[in-house]
Structures are given as C-alpha cells and as structure tokens.
Amino acid sequence: MDFTDPEYKNNSKIPKNKQPNIDLPPPSIPIKGEVDEEKIVDTEPKPSEPKKPESFKLYKKESSANDSLDRLEENQNNEYETFEFRADPKEYFKIWIVNVALTILTLGIYSAWAKVRTNRYLYASTYLHGSNFEYNADPKRILIGRLIVVGLYGGFYITSNILGLKTLSLILMGIFLIILPWLIRQAIRFRLKSASYRNIRFRYFGELKSFYKFFILSAIILAGPYFVLLGVVIFFGNYNSVIMVSGILMAIYMVIASFVIYPIIYKKYQELIINNSFFGIDKFEFNASNKSIMWIFFKVILWFIVASVLIGIGVSIINVGMLTPGNNSILKEYPYLMPYFILGLTTIVYILILGFMKGVSDGYISNFVRNHTTLEEAKLKGTIKPAKLGWISFTNILLLLLSLGLLYPWTKIRYLKHKIENTHFACDNYDKFVADATDDISTYGEEAMDFFDIDIGV
C-alpha cells in the first residue's frame, strides 16, 4: 500500500488497526513527496486574524459610529510624527535668481513658470513618514488666472483714471465682484489638485453656491452697519450731535467686529475650505468652537497693541534724543530734514511691526487650524511658537532691507522651516491611504470643470 497516496494523507481516515507503523524522519529532514508532520498532527483550529478596518467611501462611510469612535480613541494614543523640511537656501537661491531674471526679461509672463518651479522645489523638500510632497501644477493655468485679474484691474484703472468713464469702470468692478467667489473657488480647487503625497492627490469638492452664500452674508454683516450709520447721518442731517453719536456707535461696532464677528467669519471660511477637502477619498474635517477662535484673535490683537506701544515709545525716545541740547546731529544743523527723518523712521518701524505681527498671527492661527483638523481619525498638531515666529519675521524684514532683497531665499526657507517642522501628524497606518484612496474619482463633469481651474494667488 502506498501511504503517500493522497487518499491517506490524513491519518484520521485510516483505521487504527490498519495504521502503518513507520518511523518518520525528523522534521528537520524533509522528504520529497512526504506530507509535513505538523499539518497531520495539529488539527486544532487557529485563532482567526483580526479583520482590517473597512475602507471609507467618498461621501459614505461603511463603518458604524462606534467603530469610528473606537479608532479615534486608539489613534489618540499614537505618537505624532513631525514634518521635515530639507530645503537648502543655496539651492533655492539659484532657482530664485533665475526666476527673477526671466520674469523681468519676459515682462512678467514667466512668473507663472517661476511659481511652479519654486513650489516644486519647496514641496519636494517637505517630508512626512519618509515620503515627500509633490507639486504638479500647469503654469498655463496660473498665467490665465493672473491675466484675468490683471485685465480686470487694468480695465478698471484705464476707464476710471485715464478715460474718465466712471460708468464703465463701475460695470467692470461689478463684474469682478460677481465672479470673485467663483475665481476663489477655482483657485482653491487648482491649488489642492496640484498637490500630492505618495502619488495620491488632494481634492476639493466645495459647492459654488456655498461660496456665494458665504461671501454675500459676510459682506452684509461687515458692511451693513456702515451703510446704516451713513444713512442715519444723511437722513437726520450733518449735525455735530448726529456725527458724534454715529462715530461712537461705529467705534463700538469695530470693537465687536474685531473680537467677535471677524473671528467667526474666519472660522466659517476655514470650515468651507477644510471640510470640503479630501486626500484621495479620505476627508479632512475642521471642528472648532467660536469661543476658541475668538480667544486666538484676542491674543493677536493684544500682541499688536503691546508691540505698537513699545515701539512707539522707542521711536519717541529717538526723536527726542536727536533734538536734545548738546547733540550735534545733522538734524539740528538742518532742521528742515526732521520731517523726512521722522517719516522715514516711522515707515520703517511700521513695516517692522507688521512683519512681527505677521509671524505672531500666523503662528497662533496655524496652530489653531492644525489642532482642530483631522484626516478621518488621523490628527494634525501645531506647536509653532508665535513669539519666535514673529521674531523670525521681524529679523527677516531687517535682513531684506539691509541686503536690498538679496537674502529673500534665505529668509523664506528660515520662516517655512520653523512652521513646517513644528507641524505633526498622528496616523496609525499610512498605507491605508495608499490602499483605499484612488485617483479615479473624477466624473466627466469634473473633468470639464478642470478646464476652468486657475490660480489667482489666494
């Protein structure tokens, strides 16, 4: 009897009184044609492996709410991974100087290609989990967007200031305001679609009507009170009491707008952008309270007040010192230069304040957006130090003034490095984006809309 026959591969099928009494070789010496002894003896069932989480579908999640909460709880314990920025100022300087030269020689036309070259280098220098980002924009689309904006602005300027056609200039301004929400939406779609990570593109699916609704309501809320108070002054006459009361009401409204209305409008804008953005088919979500964004704006405004007061005191001390007795400065010999000196010093100080506040506000708001944004269950985190970023921005402007702009590449890399390397991402499995996300989500309608995707620099 041939015991290697497939009919006898399982000992359990052979009666006990007829089972062969043979000595099998040790398992370490396999015999060709023999069955593995482990497979014959081990008949106990093995525990099944845990199933992988089901993939997320566009606009529709197959997993239950409890599963989603469980994964979110597990992901909160994950360690954050920090973004890396490997750009070299010397390499970027070579790209920048060529871009500037070709842009000047082509009267600005090459600026679209210059932007693509710059972004490709900066995106490729940004790494997460060992992979870099990519920028795949078409410079022709950027050029079209810029030509539209320049054409509308040029037409308005010529008809208004040169030809004196006020009616036509107002019509052009009206056309620009009407299409502005559409231009901004198309620019956002273009910017996201042009970026990719691990061969997966970012996408934007915000509806056009949502943009028009947001901009119309924002315009009414922001500009409405001004027109109401102006109407009150016109209706009741140009009396001092009416003007004074209107001025007080306007001041109160500006304070309320700065601490309440502007923050809420900004939060709504971020919701409009982030909550309609996708990485492949995985959706970004932005969830923040009105109180949290109002607190961010309060801190930014407080920083601005403190910085303005301190620098104002410093400028006053310098001006007084120039005119003190015994000071043989050139301003005492030529007093007519004093107004120009004060104007120049004030302008420089004002620019430095704006530079410092740009860094401070950018730090606070960037942290706010990152800390309230998730990609499915994966969380972003921002640890930017606003005061340090403000100092970086402040000193960058000084360096630009002293170098006549030649240190721009170094200052930009320095600023971006602090922002990017203080951004973190907690994800339990990066491969799930590669496995689940595909780029085949465009319909014919979207492909037709791609033709109108442009960049206007928003």
Side-chain angles (χ1 to χ4, degrees):
M1 180 181 293
D2 186 7
F3 292 104
T4 63
D5 190 276
E7 183 180 354
Y8 296 96
K9 283 187 177 180
N10 192 340
N11 286 355
S12 61
K13 294 182 180 180
I14 305 175
K16 290 183 178 181
N17 57 354
K18 293 185 179 181
Q19 285 186 359
N21 186 15
I22 59 174
D23 294 328
L24 295 175
S28 60
I29 309 176
I31 297 179
K32 187 175 181 181
E34 289 290 336
V35 182
D36 192 354
E37 182 182 359
E38 237 180 290
K39 293 182 180 179
I40 297 174
V41 176
D42 188 9
T43 58
E44 295 182 2
K46 295 182 179 179
S48 59
E49 296 181 358
K51 294 183 178 179
K52 295 181 180 179
E54 297 179 354
S55 61
F56 293 91
K57 303 299 181 182
L58 188 60
Y59 303 119
K60 183 179 179 181
K61 296 180 180 179
E62 295 181 352
S63 57
S64 64
N66 292 332
D67 292 339
S68 180
L69 291 174
D70 291 339
R71 284 195 299 271
L72 181 59
E73 186 176 356
E74 290 176 4
N75 191 70
Q76 289 176 348
N77 298 323
N78 291 342
E79 294 184 0
Y80 283 90
E81 190 165 356
T82 303
F83 285 74
E84 296 180 64
F85 191 58
R86 304 178 185 176
D88 183 5
K90 294 180 181 179
E91 293 181 2
Y92 181 53
F93 178 82
K94 297 175 183 177
I95 296 172
W96 174 77
I97 198 68
V98 172
N99 287 343
V100 171
L102 292 177
T103 300
I104 294 173
L105 292 175
T106 59
L107 301 179
I109 295 176
Y110 186 77
S111 62
W113 281 262
K115 180 175 181 178
V116 171
R117 287 189 66 204
T118 298
N119 286 341
R120 281 180 180 171
Y121 176 73
L122 296 177
Y123 278 55
S125 301
T126 305
Y127 284 78
L128 175 65
H129 196 64
S131 300
N132 65 291
F133 290 78
E134 295 180 350
Y135 187 75
N136 309 296
D138 182 2
K140 295 178 183 178
R141 299 295 181 196
I142 299 175
L143 182 62
I144 291 173
R146 293 182 176 180
L147 289 177
I148 291 174
V149 175
V150 171
L152 288 172
Y153 177 78
F156 173 78
Y157 181 82
I158 292 173
T159 55
S160 177
N161 298 323
I162 298 178
L163 301 179
L165 302 174
K166 302 295 183 182
T167 304
L168 184 57
S169 62
L170 290 176
I171 292 174
L172 289 175
M173 179 184 290
I175 293 173
F176 178 75
L177 293 176
I178 290 172
I179 68 172
L180 181 60
W182 176 80
L183 286 173
I184 293 176
R185 176 185 177 271
Q186 297 305 110
I188 293 170
R189 289 183 79 248
F190 178 85
R191 184 175 60 185
L192 284 176
K193 191 183 67 174
S194 301
S196 62
Y197 174 68
R198 303 182 74 172
N199 296 323
I200 303 175
R201 287 194 177 190
F202 294 85
R203 295 284 187 174
Y204 186 74
F205 292 99
E207 296 182 349
L208 183 59
K209 65 180 181 180
S210 299
F211 273 82
Y212 276 98
K213 180 180 178 181
F214 170 79
F215 281 99
I216 291 173
L217 290 177
S218 298
I220 293 173
I221 293 172
L222 294 175
Y226 293 97
F227 287 105
V228 170
L229 292 176
L230 180 62
V232 169
V233 173
I234 295 174
F235 181 79
F236 288 101
N238 192 14
Y239 299 107
N240 291 333
S241 58
V242 175
I243 295 176
M244 183 179 67
V245 172
S246 299
I248 293 173
L249 292 176
M250 184 59 64
I252 295 173
Y253 172 75
M254 290 180 65
V255 173
I256 296 173
S258 299
F259 291 98
V260 179
I261 298 176
Y262 294 155
I264 293 176
I265 289 177
Y266 177 79
K267 183 180 82 76
K268 293 296 182 183
Y269 181 74
Q270 291 298 327
E271 290 176 353
L272 179 62
I273 302 303
I274 298 175
N275 289 343
N276 292 291
S277 300
F278 289 78
F279 177 58
I281 61 172
D282 293 287
K283 186 181 180 183
F284 286 93
E285 289 187 8
F286 177 76
N287 186 15
S289 64
N290 292 334
K291 183 179 179 180
S292 60
I293 185 61
M294 285 190 285
W295 175 242
I296 293 296
F297 270 65
F298 173 79
K299 289 191 286 188
V300 170
I301 294 172
L302 185 62
W303 265 104
F304 180 76
I305 293 173
V306 171
S308 299
V309 170
L310 291 177
I311 295 181
I313 293 173
V315 172
S316 300
I317 293 174
I318 293 174
N319 290 335
V320 172
M322 289 289 184
L323 299 176
T324 52
N327 185 1
N328 298 322
S329 66
I330 191 173
L331 295 177
K332 292 193 67 176
E333 299 179 7
Y334 304 96
Y336 60 87
L337 295 177
M338 189 64 182
Y340 300 101
F341 171 78
I342 294 175
L343 178 62
L345 181 62
T346 304
T347 302
I348 293 174
V349 169
Y350 181 71
I351 293 173
L352 292 174
I353 291 176
L354 290 181
F356 177 77
M357 287 310 305
K358 175 185 179 298
V360 170
S361 60
D362 193 10
Y364 275 118
I365 291 175
S366 295
N367 284 340
F368 171 77
V369 173
R370 286 160 171 76
N371 293 334
H372 292 86
T373 300
T374 58
L375 177 58
E376 294 299 342
E377 287 79 29
K379 297 182 66 176
L380 281 165
K381 182 180 179 181
T383 57
I384 300 169
K385 298 178 181 177
K388 183 175 181 179
L389 192 61
W391 173 252
I392 290 174
S393 181
F394 179 87
T395 53
N396 280 352
I397 291 178
L398 280 178
L399 291 171
L400 289 174
L401 292 173
L402 295 175
S403 66
L404 302 179
L406 290 177
L407 288 178
Y408 172 77
W410 185 79
T411 58
K412 184 167 185 176
I413 297 298
R414 181 184 177 217
Y415 189 86
L416 289 176
K417 187 176 182 65
H418 182 76
K419 283 190 66 176
I420 293 173
E421 294 192 347
N422 281 281
T423 303
H424 318 277
F425 187 59
C427 180
D428 56 350
N429 181 19
Y430 286 83
D431 290 334
K432 70 180 180 181
F433 300 120
V434 176
D436 296 339
T438 62
D439 203 27
D440 301 327
I441 56 178
S442 297
T443 62
Y444 289 108
E446 185 186 345
E447 292 298 332
M449 287 299 296
D450 287 348
F451 177 78
F452 297 100
D453 284 345
I454 54 176
D455 179 40
I456 58 173
V458 297

